[in-house]
Amino acid sequence: SLVNILYNFQLIRLAGEDGVAAYGAIMYVNFIFLAIFIGYAIGSAPVISYHYGSGDEKQLRRIVYFCFRCILVVSLFVFLLSFFGGETIAGLFAKENAAVFAITKEGFSIVSFGFLFSGCNIFASACLTALSKGKASAAISFLRTFGWITVLLLTLPKVFQVMGVWLAIPLAELLTLGVTVPVVRCTITR
């Protein structure tokens, strides 16, 4: 909720009501695409946890790496769909209002880059929970949904205006991935 308030504050200041309306449309679609990653992560966590508990490290690593490969493929597909289908998606929400449509289309084309990284972060957080690494899982979740995004929303719009607001999501996901990769490597390769 705090992040949404911050988004609304920045967008009302920089783009007015049309910017807030565009944000609403972008977030609806964002939640739908993120649900794919969340569902996959929740569905695979019991399998990972089972192999962790059984002590079968070889099979555990194989499953985790397979899952990450699947996530990467789906991430690329979701990115391409959202990036190249952004105009169509924007039209679903704002076809009748040219200003909102333009802001939504531009914002979604930038936000869509976050899908390249969010799947790995979401899956890694669920995977770490399944491996009894709750603190690492919580850190990844906190960084991608609150930590980085708050810092970026407070700084980027000062330089990039409305584009800075849209850049906050993909940059927060990318910065979180910089934490995710070494944590998962250390956890899985032990």
Side-chain angles (χ1 to χ4, degrees):
S1 294
L2 293 174
V3 171
N4 285 334
I5 291 168
L6 191 52
Y7 260 103
N8 286 332
F9 173 76
Q10 292 288 31
L11 285 167
I12 201 81
R13 186 176 63 80
L14 297 168
E17 293 169 357
D18 292 339
V20 173
Y23 171 70
I26 290 168
M27 286 302 104
Y28 286 136
V29 176
N30 190 41
F31 291 143
I32 290 168
F33 285 139
L34 291 180
I36 296 167
F37 301 126
I38 294 167
Y40 187 85
I42 290 170
S44 61
V47 176
I48 292 167
S49 186
Y50 172 80
H51 286 285
Y52 173 69
S54 72
D56 189 352
E57 291 184 25
K58 183 178 179 184
Q59 184 66 6
L60 174 65
R61 276 195 289 280
R62 195 159 61 217
I63 289 168
V64 170
Y65 289 131
F66 174 79
C67 288
F68 270 113
R69 285 192 296 273
C70 288
I71 287 289
L72 289 172
V73 169
V74 173
S75 295
L76 183 60
F77 175 76
V78 169
F79 163 71
L80 292 172
L81 178 67
S82 62
F83 184 78
F84 291 109
E87 186 170 343
T88 303
I89 293 168
L92 294 172
F93 293 93
K95 196 174 191 178
E96 313 256 331
N97 185 323
V100 174
F101 175 78
I103 296 169
T104 303
K105 181 182 163 193
E106 177 187 345
F108 200 65
S109 69
I110 296 168
V111 168
S112 65
F113 282 92
F115 296 127
L116 291 170
F117 318 113
S118 60
C120 286
N121 289 328
I122 291 167
F123 174 73
S125 181
C127 179
L128 289 166
T129 298
L131 297 172
S132 296
K133 307 293 182 200
K135 289 179 184 175
S137 172
I140 289 169
S141 185
F142 174 81
L143 286 173
R144 67 173 290 273
T145 60
F146 188 78
W148 287 123
I149 207 158
T150 300
V151 171
L152 294 168
L153 278 172
L154 291 172
T155 57
L156 290 177
K158 292 177 183 176
V159 178
F160 299 107
Q161 302 297 307
V162 174
M163 184 185 285
V165 174
W166 304 131
L167 283 169
I169 289 175
L171 287 177
E173 294 288 1
L174 179 61
L175 290 168
T176 302
L177 190 65
V179 173
T180 299
V181 170
V183 168
V184 169
R185 274 196 180 145
C186 288
T187 303
I188 299 300
T189 57
R190 278 203 244 169

